[in-house]
Coordinates of all heavy atoms in Angstrom, one line a residue:
S1428 N -66.7 0.1 13.0 CA -67.8 1.0 13.5 C -67.5 2.4 13.5 O -68.4 3.3 13.4 CB -68.2 0.5 14.9 OG -67.1 0.5 15.7
S1429 N -66.2 2.8 13.5 CA -65.8 4.2 13.6 C -66.0 4.9 12.3 O -66.1 6.1 12.1 CB -64.3 4.3 13.9 OG -64.0 3.8 15.2
Y1430 N -66.1 4.0 11.2 CA -66.3 4.6 9.8 C -67.5 5.5 9.7 O -67.4 6.5 9.0 CB -66.4 3.4 8.8 CG -66.6 3.8 7.4 CD1 -65.6 4.1 6.6 CD2 -67.9 3.9 6.9 CE1 -65.8 4.5 5.3 CE2 -68.1 4.2 5.6 CZ -67.1 4.5 4.7 OH -67.2 4.9 3.5
F1431 N -68.6 5.2 10.4 CA -69.8 5.9 10.2 C -69.7 7.3 11.0 O -70.3 8.3 10.5 CB -71.0 5.1 10.9 CG -71.1 3.8 10.2 CD1 -70.6 2.6 11.0 CD2 -71.6 3.6 9.0 CE1 -70.7 1.4 10.4 CE2 -71.8 2.3 8.4 CZ -71.2 1.2 9.0
Q1432 N -68.9 7.4 12.0 CA -68.8 8.6 12.7 C -67.8 9.5 11.8 O -68.0 10.7 11.7 CB -68.2 8.4 14.1 CG -68.0 9.7 14.9 CD -67.5 9.5 16.3 OE1 -67.4 8.3 16.8 NE2 -67.1 10.6 17.0
I1433 N -66.7 8.9 11.2 CA -65.8 9.6 10.4 C -66.5 10.2 9.2 O -66.3 11.4 8.8 CB -64.7 8.7 10.0 CG1 -63.9 8.2 11.2 CG2 -63.8 9.4 8.9 CD1 -62.8 7.2 10.8
Q1434 N -67.5 9.4 8.6 CA -68.2 9.9 7.4 C -69.4 10.7 7.7 O -70.1 11.2 6.8 CB -68.6 8.7 6.6 CG -67.3 7.9 6.0 CD -66.5 8.6 5.0 OE1 -67.0 9.7 4.5 NE2 -65.4 8.2 4.6
K1435 N -69.8 10.8 9.0 CA -70.9 11.6 9.5 C -72.2 11.0 8.9 O -73.1 11.7 8.5 CB -70.7 13.1 9.0 CG -69.5 13.7 9.6 CD -69.3 15.1 9.2 CE -68.2 15.8 9.8 NZ -68.0 17.2 9.3
Y1436 N -72.3 9.7 9.0 CA -73.6 9.1 8.6 C -74.5 9.0 9.9 O -74.1 8.9 10.9 CB -73.4 7.6 8.2 CG -72.7 7.4 6.8 CD1 -71.5 6.8 6.7 CD2 -73.4 7.9 5.8 CE1 -70.9 6.7 5.5 CE2 -72.7 7.8 4.4 CZ -71.5 7.2 4.4 OH -70.9 7.0 3.1
E1437 N -75.8 9.2 9.6 CA -76.8 9.3 10.6 C -77.7 8.0 10.5 O -78.2 7.6 9.5 CB -77.7 10.5 10.4 CG -78.9 10.6 11.4 CD -79.8 11.7 11.1 OE1 -79.4 12.7 10.3 OE2 -80.9 11.8 11.6
V1438 N -77.8 7.3 11.7 CA -78.6 6.1 11.8 C -80.0 6.4 11.8 O -80.5 7.2 12.6 CB -78.1 5.3 13.0 CG1 -79.1 4.0 13.1 CG2 -76.7 4.9 13.0
T1439 N -80.8 5.9 10.9 CA -82.2 6.1 10.9 C -83.0 5.0 11.6 O -84.1 5.3 12.1 CB -82.8 6.2 9.4 OG1 -82.3 5.1 8.7 CG2 -82.2 7.5 8.8
S1440 N -82.5 3.8 11.6 CA -83.0 2.7 12.4 C -82.0 1.7 12.7 O -81.1 1.5 11.9 CB -84.2 2.1 11.6 OG -83.8 1.6 10.4
G1441 N -82.2 0.9 13.8 CA -81.3 -0.1 14.2 C -80.1 0.5 14.9 O -80.1 1.6 15.4
S1442 N -79.0 -0.2 14.9 CA -77.7 0.2 15.5 C -76.6 -0.3 14.8 O -76.6 -1.2 14.0 CB -77.7 -0.4 17.0 OG -77.7 -1.8 16.9
L1443 N -75.4 0.4 14.9 CA -74.2 0.2 14.3 C -73.6 -1.1 14.7 O -74.0 -1.8 15.7 CB -73.2 1.3 14.4 CG -73.7 2.7 13.9 CD1 -72.6 3.7 14.2 CD2 -74.0 2.6 12.4
F1444 N -72.5 -1.5 14.0 CA -71.8 -2.8 14.4 C -71.3 -2.7 15.8 O -70.8 -1.7 16.3 CB -70.6 -3.0 13.5 CG -70.9 -3.0 12.0 CD1 -70.2 -2.3 11.1 CD2 -71.9 -3.9 11.5 CE1 -70.5 -2.4 9.8 CE2 -72.2 -4.0 10.2 CZ -71.5 -3.2 9.3
T1445 N -71.4 -3.8 16.5 CA -70.8 -3.9 17.9 C -69.5 -4.5 17.8 O -69.1 -5.1 16.8 CB -71.7 -4.8 18.8 OG1 -71.7 -6.1 18.3 CG2 -73.1 -4.3 18.9
N1446 N -68.7 -4.4 18.8 CA -67.3 -4.9 18.8 C -67.4 -6.4 18.7 O -66.6 -7.1 18.1 CB -66.6 -4.6 20.1 CG -66.2 -3.1 20.2 OD1 -66.0 -2.4 19.1 ND2 -66.1 -2.5 21.4
S1447 N -68.4 -7.1 19.3 CA -68.6 -8.5 19.3 C -68.8 -9.0 17.9 O -68.3 -9.9 17.4 CB -69.8 -9.0 20.2 OG -70.0 -10.3 20.0
Q1448 N -69.7 -8.2 17.2 CA -70.0 -8.6 15.7 C -68.7 -8.5 14.8 O -68.6 -9.3 14.0 CB -71.1 -7.6 15.2 CG -72.5 -8.0 15.8 CD -73.5 -7.0 15.5 OE1 -73.1 -5.8 15.2 NE2 -74.8 -7.3 15.5
I1449 N -67.9 -7.4 15.1 CA -66.7 -7.3 14.3 C -65.7 -8.3 14.6 O -65.2 -8.9 13.7 CB -66.2 -5.8 14.6 CG1 -67.2 -4.8 14.0 CG2 -64.8 -5.7 13.9 CD1 -66.7 -3.4 14.4
N1450 N -65.5 -8.6 15.9 CA -64.5 -9.5 16.3 C -64.8 -10.9 15.9 O -63.9 -11.7 15.6 CB -64.3 -9.5 17.8 CG -63.7 -8.2 18.3 OD1 -63.0 -7.5 17.6 ND2 -64.0 -7.8 19.6
N1451 N -66.2 -11.3 15.8 CA -66.6 -12.5 15.4 C -66.8 -12.7 13.9 O -67.4 -13.7 13.4 CB -67.9 -13.0 16.2 CG -67.5 -13.1 17.7 OD1 -66.4 -13.5 18.1 ND2 -68.5 -12.8 18.5
S1452 N -66.7 -11.6 13.2 CA -66.9 -11.6 11.8 C -68.3 -12.0 11.4 O -68.5 -12.8 10.5 CB -65.8 -12.4 11.0 OG -64.5 -11.9 11.2
E1453 N -69.3 -11.5 12.2 CA -70.7 -11.9 12.0 C -71.2 -11.4 10.6 O -70.7 -10.3 10.1 CB -71.5 -11.4 13.1 CG -71.2 -12.1 14.4 CD -72.2 -11.7 15.5 OE1 -73.3 -11.2 15.1 OE2 -71.8 -11.9 16.7
S1454 N -72.1 -12.1 10.0 CA -72.6 -11.7 8.7 C -73.8 -10.8 8.9 O -75.0 -11.1 8.8 CB -73.1 -13.0 7.9 OG -72.0 -13.8 7.7
V1455 N -73.4 -9.6 9.2 CA -74.4 -8.4 9.3 C -74.1 -7.3 8.4 O -72.9 -7.1 8.0 CB -74.5 -7.9 10.8 CG1 -75.0 -9.0 11.7 CG2 -73.1 -7.5 11.3
V1456 N -75.1 -6.6 8.0 CA -74.9 -5.5 7.0 C -75.7 -4.3 7.4 O -76.8 -4.4 8.0 CB -75.3 -6.0 5.6 CG1 -76.8 -6.4 5.6 CG2 -74.9 -5.0 4.5
I1457 N -75.3 -3.1 7.0 CA -76.1 -1.8 7.2 C -76.3 -1.3 5.8 O -75.4 -1.2 5.0 CB -75.2 -0.9 8.1 CG1 -75.0 -1.5 9.5 CG2 -75.9 0.5 8.1 CD1 -74.1 -0.6 10.4
L1458 N -77.5 -0.9 5.6 CA -77.9 -0.3 4.2 C -78.1 1.2 4.3 O -78.6 1.7 5.4 CB -79.2 -1.1 3.8 CG -79.2 -2.5 3.5 CD1 -80.5 -3.0 3.0 CD2 -78.1 -2.9 2.5
G1459 N -77.8 1.8 3.3 CA -78.2 3.2 3.1 C -79.8 3.2 2.8 O -80.3 2.3 2.3
E1460 N -80.4 4.3 3.1 CA -81.9 4.4 3.0 C -82.3 4.2 1.5 O -83.3 3.4 1.2 CB -82.4 5.7 3.5 CG -82.5 5.9 5.0 CD -83.2 7.2 5.3 OE1 -83.0 8.2 4.6 OE2 -83.9 7.2 6.3
Q1461 N -81.6 4.8 0.6 CA -81.9 4.6 -0.8 C -81.8 3.1 -1.3 O -82.6 2.7 -1.9 CB -81.1 5.5 -1.7 CG -81.5 5.6 -3.1 CD -82.9 5.9 -3.4 OE1 -83.4 6.9 -2.7 NE2 -83.5 5.4 -4.3
A1462 N -80.7 2.5 -0.8 CA -80.5 1.1 -1.3 C -81.6 0.3 -0.7 O -82.1 -0.7 -1.4 CB -79.2 0.7 -0.8
A1463 N -82.0 0.6 0.6 CA -83.1 -0.3 1.2 C -84.4 -0.1 0.4 O -85.1 -1.1 0.2 CB -83.3 0.2 2.7
K1464 N -84.7 1.1 0.0 CA -85.9 1.3 -0.8 C -85.9 0.6 -2.1 O -86.9 0.1 -2.6 CB -86.2 2.8 -1.0 CG -86.4 3.6 0.3 CD -86.6 5.1 0.0 CE -86.9 5.9 1.2 NZ -86.9 7.4 0.9
E1465 N -84.7 0.5 -2.8 CA -84.6 -0.1 -4.0 C -84.7 -1.6 -3.9 O -85.2 -2.4 -4.8 CB -83.3 0.3 -4.7 CG -83.2 1.8 -5.1 CD -81.9 2.3 -5.5 OE1 -81.0 1.4 -5.5 OE2 -81.8 3.4 -6.0
I1466 N -84.1 -2.2 -2.8 CA -84.1 -3.6 -2.6 C -85.4 -4.1 -2.2 O -85.9 -5.1 -2.7 CB -83.0 -4.0 -1.6 CG1 -81.6 -3.7 -2.1 CG2 -83.1 -5.4 -1.2 CD1 -80.5 -3.8 -1.2
F1467 N -86.1 -3.4 -1.3 CA -87.4 -3.8 -0.8 C -88.5 -2.9 -1.3 O -88.9 -1.9 -0.7 CB -87.5 -3.7 0.8 CG -86.5 -4.7 1.4 CD1 -85.2 -4.3 1.9 CD2 -86.8 -6.0 1.6 CE1 -84.3 -5.1 2.5 CE2 -85.9 -6.9 2.3 CZ -84.7 -6.4 2.6
T1468 N -88.7 -3.1 -2.6 CA -89.7 -2.2 -3.3 C -91.1 -2.3 -2.9 O -91.9 -1.4 -3.2 CB -89.7 -2.6 -4.8 OG1 -90.0 -4.0 -5.0 CG2 -88.3 -2.4 -5.5
D1469 N -91.4 -3.3 -2.1 CA -92.8 -3.5 -1.5 C -93.0 -2.6 -0.2 O -94.1 -2.7 0.3 CB -93.2 -4.9 -1.4 CG -92.3 -5.7 -0.4 OD1 -91.3 -5.0 0.0 OD2 -92.6 -6.8 -0.2

């Protein structure tokens, strides 16, 4: 989760990884805005 602060990414919606999600290796993902637009074209 520290990666986003280091790289100075700004969250536009939702929330970053929680410690619980990281520790449990949950299958969650965060998308860049451009990637989200390209994947969900509708």
Side-chain angles (χ1 to χ4, degrees):
S1428 55
S1429 299
Y1430 178 84
F1431 305 101
Q1432 185 176 348
I1433 295 171
Q1434 298 292 347
K1435 300 179 181 179
Y1436 288 119
E1437 178 184 342
V1438 178
T1439 53
S1440 61
S1442 58
L1443 300 177
F1444 302 130
T1445 63
N1446 290 332
S1447 174
Q1448 289 170 335
I1449 294 173
N1450 293 334
N1451 295 327
S1452 299
E1453 294 185 21
S1454 299
V1455 291
V1456 64
I1457 296 174
L1458 297 182
E1460 280 187 326
Q1461 184 59 37
K1464 291 178 182 178
E1465 294 172 357
I1466 294 172
F1467 297 97
T1468 55
D1469 58 356

